[in-house]
Amino acid sequence: MTKPLQSGPGYLLRGLSLLNHPRIRWLVLGPILINLVLFILLTWLAIDQFTGLLNWLMEKIPSWLNFIAWLFWILLGGFLLLMYGYTFAIIGNILASPFYGPLAERAEEVITGVKLSNPMTKKEILVLAGQSVKRELIKLGYFLPRIIGILMLTIILSFIPIINLLAPVIAFLWGAWSLALQYIDYPADNNQTGFSELRERLRERRLVSISFGGSVLIATTIPVLNLFTMPASVIGATAFWLERMPPKPPET
């Protein structure tokens, strides 16, 4: 087995490689179309707002630090780019969540070579889609207060010279952890694992979880690639679940 920090990005690459699989490709069209519309809107908003925000933040740098202003520019730009990618992922996941439960189930069949059930009826697909939306709201209840807390912390740190170098690191680590939870939850839900139990089990695999989520976060910041990253992440998370999260032995 590969080392955790090496294997995390490998799951995303595996998901990307399976996007065009004959049994999967039709299930990713919906998410990709949703991501395309979101990409156009969010990118337009980012270009319109980010330059002004960066200039405003740069004006807050003390004059005695002007000689390293370029470093602050890079760090702030990187931080805002991470926020763009994270926002793209969160909104895209909410909008496309009805597709991801069925996609995770189909990916599990393709990866294992085992048919999980008879073909689902339209009614069963709608039920599974509804369950995915409900689960998404549960995750949102977990993420939202923590997102606000992390955002407030990073804003406060951004006004403190030198210490503000930590802001992008904190934002990246939180984004990586939350996206790992976000995507691995789809196969977990299909396998009747509660969200709180999933969090406990992923804490035992923190390094590989963060490396997987981190690779997803970086991919969402790259134009065009981010259109395919989310469905690929669902597939990669399913492979993660199958290889890294074996069923717990029955209690005796």
Side-chain angles (χ1 to χ4, degrees):
M1 184 174 291
T2 56
K3 295 180 180 179
L5 285 174
Q6 296 174 330
S7 58
Y11 288 114
L12 176 58
L13 292 174
R14 191 169 180 183
L16 287 167
S17 70
L18 288 173
L19 282 177
N20 198 39
H21 190 281
R23 298 194 63 217
I24 288 177
R25 64 169 71 117
W26 296 110
L27 287 173
V28 305
L29 287 180
I32 288 175
L33 290 175
I34 290 172
N35 291 343
L36 178 60
V37 174
L38 179 62
F39 168 74
I40 293 172
L41 293 176
L42 198 58
T43 302
W44 172 80
L45 181 63
I47 294 173
D48 185 59
Q49 298 294 323
F50 279 11
T51 301
L53 181 58
L54 274 172
N55 290 333
W56 178 79
L57 289 172
M58 292 298 293
E59 291 174 359
K60 303 301 179 182
I61 298 177
S63 58
W64 61 275
L65 286 177
N66 282 341
F67 70 100
I68 57 170
W70 62 271
L71 178 59
F72 288 100
W73 181 273
I74 292 174
L75 289 172
L76 289 171
F79 172 73
L80 293 175
L81 192 61
L82 287 176
M83 290 298 99
Y84 163 81
Y86 188 71
T87 302
F88 183 88
I90 291 296
I91 298 176
N93 287 328
I94 293 173
L95 296 177
S97 59
F99 297 92
Y100 288 153
L103 175 58
E105 182 173 287
R106 181 64 57 81
E108 186 169 341
E109 291 181 349
V110 169
I111 292 169
T112 61
V114 177
K115 196 171 184 61
L116 299 180
S117 61
N118 294 325
M120 290 187 294
T121 65
K122 291 182 178 180
K123 182 178 180 180
E124 289 172 332
I125 292 174
L126 289 175
V127 170
L128 183 56
Q131 290 174 344
S132 296
V133 173
K134 182 178 179 181
R135 183 81 165 211
E136 207 66 32
L137 295 176
I138 292 174
K139 286 186 284 188
L140 190 61
Y142 170 82
F143 290 136
L144 192 56
R146 290 164 176 80
I147 291 172
I148 294 172
I150 292 293
L151 182 60
M152 292 178 63
L153 175 62
T154 52
I155 289 174
I156 292 171
L157 290 178
S158 67
F159 289 99
I160 306 175
I162 307 302
I163 295 179
N164 58 8
L165 301 179
L166 293 175
V169 177
I170 293 172
F172 178 81
L173 290 176
W174 162 250
W177 170 250
S178 60
L179 289 182
L181 275 173
Q182 174 72 42
Y183 289 108
I184 299 172
D185 182 63
Y186 294 113
D189 188 23
N190 288 346
N191 287 273
Q192 291 79 52
T193 299
F195 187 58
S196 58
E197 180 183 345
L198 173 65
R199 296 200 308 270
E200 293 176 4
R201 296 182 67 183
L202 283 186
R203 288 191 189 103
E204 299 170 359
R205 302 161 178 82
R206 195 180 298 271
L207 283 179
V208 67
S209 300
I210 289 177
S211 66
F212 168 66
S215 65
V216 172
L217 179 56
I218 292 171
T220 58
T221 68
I222 302 174
V224 181
L225 177 60
N226 57 7
L227 300 178
F228 305 94
T229 295
M230 285 184 269
S233 299
V234 175
I235 301 169
T238 303
F240 184 110
W241 172 267
L242 293 169
E243 296 177 5
R244 297 272 181 169
M245 311 281 279
K248 288 188 174 181
E251 296 182 1
T252 57

